[in-house]
Amino acid sequence: MASAQSVSGVFAPVLTPFDAHLKPDRKAYAGFCRWLLGQGAGLAIFGTNSEANSLSLAERLDLLEYLIAEGLPAARMMPGSGACALPDAVALCAAAAKAETAAVLMLPPFYYKGVSDDGLFAFYAETIERTGSAALRICLYHIPRISGVAISLDLIGRLIGRYPATVVGIKDSGGDMKHTRAMLESFPGFRVFCGSESFLTETVRLGGAGCISASANVNPAAICNAFQRAAESGAAERQAALDTFRKTLENFPMIAALKRIVAEFGRYPGFARLRPPLTAFDETRTRDLIGRLHALEFSTPELAAMLSSHSEC
Amino acid sequence: MASAQSVSGVFAPVLTPFDAHLKPDRKAYAGFCRWLLGQGAGLAIFGTNSEANSLSLAERLDLLEYLIAEGLPAARMMPGSGACALPDAVALCAAAAKAETAAVLMLPPFYYKGVSDDGLFAFYAETIERTGSAALRICLYHIPRISGVAISLDLIGRLIGRYPATVVGIKDSGGDMKHTRAMLESFPGFRVFCGSESFLTETVRLGGAGCISASANVNPAAICNAFQRAAESGAAERQAALDTFRKTLENFPMIAALKRIVAEFGRYPGFARLRPPLTAFDETRTRDLIGRLHALEFSTPELAAMLSSHSEC
């Protein structure tokens, strides 16, 4: 059973590569996961940047099973387990608990908007009760600009009150440090992850548990280093370097850019594919992106080898 | 194979009853569908008011199969087939096409916001190509206030241009008659359904195909009558009566109110259950709602008999 103490550090919302038929490319996926682990990042598989909601339930269950079978460590995984439908959320939480992953990262149900905290509490509570596993550890996932459904401080308080051993943390992708601070102050011991490394140093200094950020897919070592040394001298410089890199990425649609970077630097062209409704960008923008990264002396040591050793393409 | 001509009239986004374990109550569901058909309404199963996105894919496929096996007419069905994940949308479209339903009502993928028309086009196109059935008829589903993803006139034009025999209509739940009018004017022959009976008379007069409205779950006969006689004298009075009823409903959370009405007037208490994140309302509000309906001399002839003949409770 995962201990709450293992739920910390830097996690990448792992990109999901697709083959030419837009099916998950499992071997490249496992290779990419191994690379991330080697760089120091944990595996927040099935996140927003993973296109998790563009995967069927069966595909997600299969990918988790595959990674475990391939020997990737469940204790370093935090799979997304949110869904609009209660049975889907239960199936994902149950699979994660059975595999003894460090935790799950659980979106609220996101189709209906303007739902009450009572309704959201009921959804989480039913999921926890039906999963029925002492191994289940939930990090809530607050990303209202995409999900359209916010997780309020009141809801967090109610869930911790009722399920203190299960509801252990939150990823705050709200982009508002005041809100992050309020969570840290309101719930001592609750494991708060910032949703972007832009807030990393401040979050860690305030007692946060870590960072789960899109760019950890391509810049994991620097983010992990900044996390581990957040209290040491030079933190401001390390944060500034992270910010420069992040701002470069933010000139492009994020998920398409991340996949393009892995495709280019990992010499694995198929990695750039996205499932609709997301779309790849063209050669001109690709050159612009890659040129900017070269100007930053960006590199991805060992990535190409890790991907090619598992290549299906 | 369904003809495009059968895609017209008044459809109810059929409420989905749940048993005490929150599983779909299939017998009550079939009984309710029979009642709606008897009242003149078609069956837009798996709509927003059906809590369709609170059902797993397997549950939706099972319910469709069950209704067909029970002898309900596929030619009067327009199942929801939208999903965030391409494989799920394909599975739902394929099942509907195989059953030869009149059409499907297809949400865009709704997790990512701010996606491009190129991406939405690709999602619909991939779904159509992968379904690969000449029997497939798609009504698009524009409900941006809930889905968070609008369907633009440009996207409609591109889809009709590429798949003229497949993309046959749209449900416009945008609540803006100007937009409905623009669609009717831009795409002659395209089957435009208003998403609320508040716009019924005007939509029909402008050449619209019909109405797919929440309240058709409880007020189907009056809405069907107003639809059929929209060009006859007395239309304004019939529209006014629909509006009065609708405004009464709008004092309450819609889906909870509709289920409560069926539960009360159909003498089937379990019908009031909702899956989280939706919640039922309390006894005081229920008395308020039922009292208002009695004041309107509201009735649901034969509903109780239709539900009890299929009761599992």
Side-chain angles (χ1 to χ4, degrees):
Chain A
M1 190 173 79
S3 73
Q5 282 61 40
S6 66
V7 186
S8 67
V10 175
F11 285 77
V14 184
L15 298 168
T16 310
F18 296 112
D19 68 17
H21 302 286
L22 292 182
K23 287 187 179 159
D25 176 347
R26 303 196 306 178
K27 288 186 182 176
Y29 187 56
F32 186 57
C33 285
R34 284 209 174 84
W35 181 74
L36 289 169
L37 287 171
Q39 298 287 307
L43 306 173
I45 57 172
F46 313 152
T48 296
N49 289 279
S50 314
E51 298 170 84
N53 289 303
S54 300
L55 301 172
S56 70
L57 174 65
E59 287 174 330
R60 275 175 275 183
L61 295 173
D62 175 72
L63 286 175
L64 175 59
E65 196 176 337
Y66 180 78
L67 291 184
I68 299 293
E70 285 287 297
L72 284 120
R76 296 289 286 138
M77 293 182 194
M78 199 192 296
S81 72
C84 294
L86 182 62
D88 293 355
V90 173
L92 288 162
C93 284
K98 187 179 168 207
E100 301 190 353
T101 64
V104 295
L105 184 57
M106 191 170 160
L107 278 169
F110 53 83
Y111 182 64
Y112 295 108
K113 308 305 187 294
V115 295
S116 66
D117 275 2
D118 284 351
L120 294 175
F121 180 86
F123 189 94
Y124 281 110
E126 281 287 343
T127 301
I128 293 166
E129 301 284 354
R130 287 168 188 238
T131 301
S133 169
L136 182 65
R137 296 282 175 278
I138 293 177
C139 279
L140 307 170
Y141 187 7
H142 176 66
I143 183 166
R145 122 193 92 84
I146 295 183
S147 68
V149 178
I151 295 176
S152 71
L153 291 176
D154 187 60
L155 175 61
I156 297 169
R158 288 171 64 184
L159 285 168
I160 294 174
R162 180 73 184 80
Y163 301 105
T166 304
V167 179
V168 300
I170 192 164
K171 177 186 178 189
D172 182 4
S173 294
D176 175 6
M177 196 63 216
K178 273 188 210 160
H179 189 68
T180 309
R181 186 188 296 263
M183 290 193 294
L184 284 162
E185 288 172 355
S186 302
F187 309 112
F190 194 56
R191 309 187 79 75
V192 178
F193 292 81
C194 54
S196 160
E197 74 275 22
S198 312
F199 304 107
L200 185 141
T201 305
E202 193 172 354
T203 299
V204 174
R205 286 187 177 172
L206 290 167
C211 175
I212 307 173
S213 172
S215 34
N217 275 291
V218 294
N219 198 27
I223 301 175
C224 290
N225 184 47
F227 171 74
Q228 282 154 2
R229 301 171 63 197
E232 301 173 21
S233 68
E237 290 74 15
R238 287 187 289 276
Q239 180 68 54
L242 296 187
D243 292 348
T244 298
F245 185 84
R246 174 94 188 183
K247 286 197 180 101
T248 301
L249 287 184
E250 288 176 352
N251 288 295
F252 302 87
M254 181 62 82
I255 303 173
L258 296 171
K259 290 189 123 174
R260 181 63 75 178
I261 293 168
V262 175
E264 294 282 326
F265 286 84
R267 291 184 221 123
Y268 197 94
F271 211 106
R273 290 187 196 100
L274 300 115
R275 270 201 179 163
L278 301 187
T279 51
F281 44 76
D282 64 18
E283 197 54 30
T284 306
R285 291 198 85 184
T286 299
R287 288 303 111 211
D288 181 18
L289 171 63
I290 303 304
R292 290 178 192 236
L293 293 179
H294 282 310
L296 293 175
E297 301 185 358
F298 175 76
S299 69
T300 56
E302 297 172 34
L303 176 60
M306 298 297 275
L307 291 179
S308 68
S309 69
H310 297 276
S311 172
E312 280 187 331
C313 287
Chain B
M1 190 172 80
S3 74
Q5 282 62 43
S6 67
V7 186
S8 66
V10 175
F11 285 76
V14 183
L15 299 167
T16 309
F18 296 111
D19 68 17
H21 302 288
L22 292 182
K23 288 187 178 159
D25 176 347
R26 303 197 306 178
K27 289 187 179 175
Y29 187 56
F32 186 58
C33 285
R34 284 208 175 82
W35 180 75
L36 289 168
L37 287 171
Q39 298 287 306
L43 306 174
I45 58 172
F46 313 151
T48 297
N49 289 277
S50 313
E51 298 169 85
N53 289 305
S54 301
L55 301 171
S56 70
L57 174 65
E59 287 174 329
R60 277 175 274 183
L61 294 173
D62 176 72
L63 286 175
L64 175 60
E65 196 176 337
Y66 180 79
L67 292 183
I68 300 293
E70 285 287 297
L72 283 117
R76 296 288 287 138
M77 293 183 194
M78 198 191 297
S81 72
C84 294
L86 183 61
D88 293 356
V90 172
L92 288 161
C93 284
K98 187 180 168 204
E100 300 189 355
T101 65
V104 296
L105 183 58
M106 190 170 162
L107 279 170
F110 53 85
Y111 182 65
Y112 295 106
K113 308 304 187 293
V115 294
S116 67
D117 275 2
D118 284 351
L120 295 174
F121 180 86
F123 189 94
Y124 281 110
E126 281 287 343
T127 302
I128 293 166
E129 301 285 353
R130 287 168 188 237
T131 301
S133 169
L136 182 64
R137 297 282 175 276
I138 294 178
C139 279
L140 307 170
Y141 186 6
H142 177 65
I143 183 167
R145 125 193 88 85
I146 295 182
S147 68
V149 179
I151 295 175
S152 71
L153 291 176
D154 186 60
L155 175 61
I156 297 169
R158 288 172 63 184
L159 285 168
I160 295 175
R162 180 70 185 81
Y163 301 104
T166 304
V167 179
V168 299
I170 192 164
K171 177 186 179 191
D172 183 4
S173 293
D176 174 7
M177 197 62 216
K178 273 188 210 162
H179 188 69
T180 310
R181 185 188 296 264
M183 288 193 295
L184 285 161
E185 289 171 355
S186 302
F187 309 111
F190 195 56
R191 310 188 79 75
V192 177
F193 292 81
C194 54
S196 161
E197 73 275 24
S198 312
F199 305 107
L200 185 143
T201 304
E202 193 172 355
T203 299
V204 174
R205 287 187 177 171
L206 290 168
C211 176
I212 307 172
S213 172
S215 34
N217 276 290
V218 295
N219 198 27
I223 301 175
C224 290
N225 184 48
F227 171 74
Q228 282 153 2
R229 300 171 63 198
E232 299 173 21
S233 69
E237 290 75 11
R238 288 187 290 276
Q239 181 66 56
L242 296 187
D243 291 347
T244 299
F245 185 84
R246 174 95 189 183
K247 288 201 178 95
T248 301
L249 287 183
E250 288 177 352
N251 289 294
F252 303 86
M254 182 60 82
I255 303 173
L258 296 171
K259 289 190 124 173
R260 180 64 76 179
I261 292 168
V262 176
E264 294 280 326
F265 286 83
R267 291 183 220 122
Y268 197 94
F271 212 107
R273 290 186 197 102
L274 301 115
R275 269 199 179 165
L278 301 187
T279 51
F281 45 76
D282 64 18
E283 196 54 30
T284 306
R285 291 197 86 181
T286 299
R287 287 305 112 212
D288 180 18
L289 170 63
I290 303 304
R292 289 177 193 237
L293 293 179
H294 282 309
L296 295 174
E297 300 185 357
F298 174 76
S299 69
T300 56
E302 299 171 36
L303 176 60
M306 298 294 274
L307 291 180
S308 68
S309 69
H310 296 275
S311 172
E312 282 188 328
C313 287

